[in-house]
Amino acid sequence: MKYKIVVDSCGELPVKLKEDGHFQTVSLELFVDDYHVVDDENFNQKEFLRKVKESPNCPKSACPSPEAYEEAYDCEAEHVYAVTLSAQLSGSYNSAELGRKLYLEEKGEKKIHVFDSKSASVGETLIAMKIQECEEAGLSFEEVVAKVDAYIAEQNTYFVLETLETLRKNGRLSNIKAFVASALNIKPIMGSTPEGTICQLSQARGMGKALDKMVTTMMSKVRNPEQKVLAISHCNCPQRALSVVEKVKSLGKFKDVLVLDTAGISSMYANDGGVIMVV
């Protein structure tokens, strides 16, 4: 095997990629009070969301250890790539880099590169798919890194949340602002910055209008959509995600549209009813 792509578990992989021997997921861990779960194939989204809703405290996560990444890098592949959550949101990137250094110190030279997605969820998925596309096209390791870095720089992430409770609990939103937003049914349209932090782009009253505004905002910024893959992930709201797809199709044509349910760590960020869109 010439290449391997390691993705932390915030990046949802479609079944086709899960069954592809070139991909491996390294799991984060999730905590809600005394409840602890590994974000792997046994993750129970409904149980986790119930625990989050019932708890007055903010859910927490722990990134994979450097040793977990080092073990993932220990393979026959000549080229190894890792894709992580934004370094501004998690320690996963730093852990992946430490794992790379450990491997090189203990096992010898190998071409390993860690990509900071500066995104999350399906943003990571698209980056992993781009790496494979470049490798399958026969690009050198250095050319793949340069091409994917350029892809990350152009990528944009958007999301709308049903509830602001997790943001309130983790201190990113005041109690008063969260209460007012909830009482007035105001839904902020959020996005990523070039550095990989979270910002508010706009807002609307009601989920339907917020999703419409998210799509129109995305369409106003995207260039050459017919050459790009649009990825959408949803937290326990498939019909809502499909409505976003229909809105997108009414405004433009993409090379492909990928729809996935959120994994564990993405479910923690998005919470029940959240929709994430990346292009």
Side-chain angles (χ1 to χ4, degrees), residues 243-264:
S243 73
V244 171
V245 172
E246 292 306 311
K247 177 69 175 179
V248 168
K249 287 182 176 180
S250 72
L251 296 176
K253 182 176 178 59
F254 282 84
K255 180 180 178 182
D256 195 12
V257 178
L258 179 67
V259 180
L260 296 168
D261 200 353
T262 54

Side-chain angles (χ1 to χ4, degrees), residues 1-18:
M1 183 168 64
K2 183 185 176 185
Y3 67 93
K4 182 178 183 180
I5 303 167
V6 179
V7 186
D8 74 26
S9 62
C10 186
E12 295 89 7
L13 296 181
V15 174
K16 183 178 179 180
L17 297 190
K18 287 180 180 178

Side-chain angles (χ1 to χ4, degrees), residues 4-276:
K4 182 178 183 180
I5 303 167
V6 179
V7 186
D8 74 26
S9 62
C10 186
E12 295 89 7
L13 296 181
V15 174
K16 183 178 179 180
L17 297 190
K18 287 180 180 178
E19 295 175 349
D20 186 323
H22 292 99
F23 293 83
Q24 181 178 339
T25 296
V26 178
S27 296
L28 286 90
E29 296 179 66
L30 304 171
F31 304 86
V32 184
D33 299 325
D34 295 331
Y35 178 75
H36 165 244
V37 62
V38 176
D39 185 12
D40 59 15
E41 65 276 1
N42 298 313
F43 173 73
N44 186 323
Q45 186 191 68
K46 290 185 178 180
E47 174 72 1
F48 177 74
L49 292 174
R50 183 179 67 81
K51 294 283 187 181
V52 170
K53 187 175 182 180
E54 292 174 352
S55 175
N57 302 310
C58 182
K60 298 179 181 180
S61 64
C63 66
S65 68
E67 291 76 16
Y69 277 110
E70 180 187 13
E71 183 178 342
Y73 302 153
D74 191 5
C75 60
E76 295 180 359
E78 299 171 23
H79 303 165
V80 178
Y81 309 91
V83 183
T84 75
L85 250 170
S86 169
Q88 299 296 322
L89 301 177
S90 167
S92 188
Y93 173 79
N94 287 335
S95 190
E97 271 289 352
L98 284 172
R100 183 183 68 85
K101 291 174 183 176
L102 284 174
Y103 180 91
L104 296 179
E105 288 173 3
E106 297 175 7
K107 303 291 177 64
E109 196 62 32
K110 175 180 276 197
K111 291 187 176 181
I112 304 172
H113 185 83
V114 181
F115 291 102
D116 174 2
S117 72
K118 299 182 181 178
S119 180
S121 184
V122 283
E124 293 180 58
T125 311
L126 290 179
I127 293 165
M129 291 169 63
K130 189 67 176 180
I131 295 168
Q132 183 171 51
E133 176 187 308
C134 292
E135 275 284 348
E136 293 295 332
L139 273 62
S140 69
F141 180 80
E142 293 74 18
E143 288 172 330
V144 172
V145 170
K147 196 92 169 178
V148 175
D149 276 339
Y151 177 77
I152 292 171
E154 293 181 354
Q155 193 181 73
N156 287 294
T157 301
Y158 308 86
F159 61 96
V160 175
L161 306 182
E162 176 65 57
T163 173
L164 300 175
E165 271 300 284
T166 297
L167 292 180
R168 181 190 67 78
K169 288 175 183 177
N170 69 15
R172 292 182 183 270
L173 199 67
S174 71
N175 287 339
I176 293 174
K177 188 172 182 179
F179 174 77
V180 171
S182 177
L184 298 178
N185 196 24
I186 293 172
K187 308 295 183 187
I189 294 90
M190 311 293 286
S192 61
T193 67
E195 297 75 29
T197 58
I198 295 171
C199 64
Q200 183 172 337
L201 301 172
S202 185
Q203 64 184 40
R205 182 169 292 182
M207 180 57 80
K209 290 181 179 179
L211 293 174
D212 283 350
K213 184 167 281 191
M214 177 177 71
V215 172
T216 55
T217 299
M218 179 272 293
M219 292 301 298
S220 70
K221 294 182 178 181
V222 70
R223 297 291 177 265
N224 304 314
E226 67 281 353
Q227 299 174 14
K228 298 180 178 181
V229 177
L230 171 67
I232 298 168
S233 60
H234 64 88
C235 186
N236 196 36
C237 54
Q239 290 305 122
R240 184 170 286 172
L242 290 176
S243 73
V244 171
V245 172
E246 292 306 311
K247 177 69 175 179
V248 168
K249 287 182 176 180
S250 72
L251 296 176
K253 182 176 178 59
F254 282 84
K255 180 180 178 182
D256 195 12
V257 178
L258 179 67
V259 180
L260 296 168
D261 200 353
T262 54
I265 186 68
S266 299
S267 296
M268 186 186 85
Y269 283 118
N271 214 321
D272 203 0
V275 177
I276 304 165

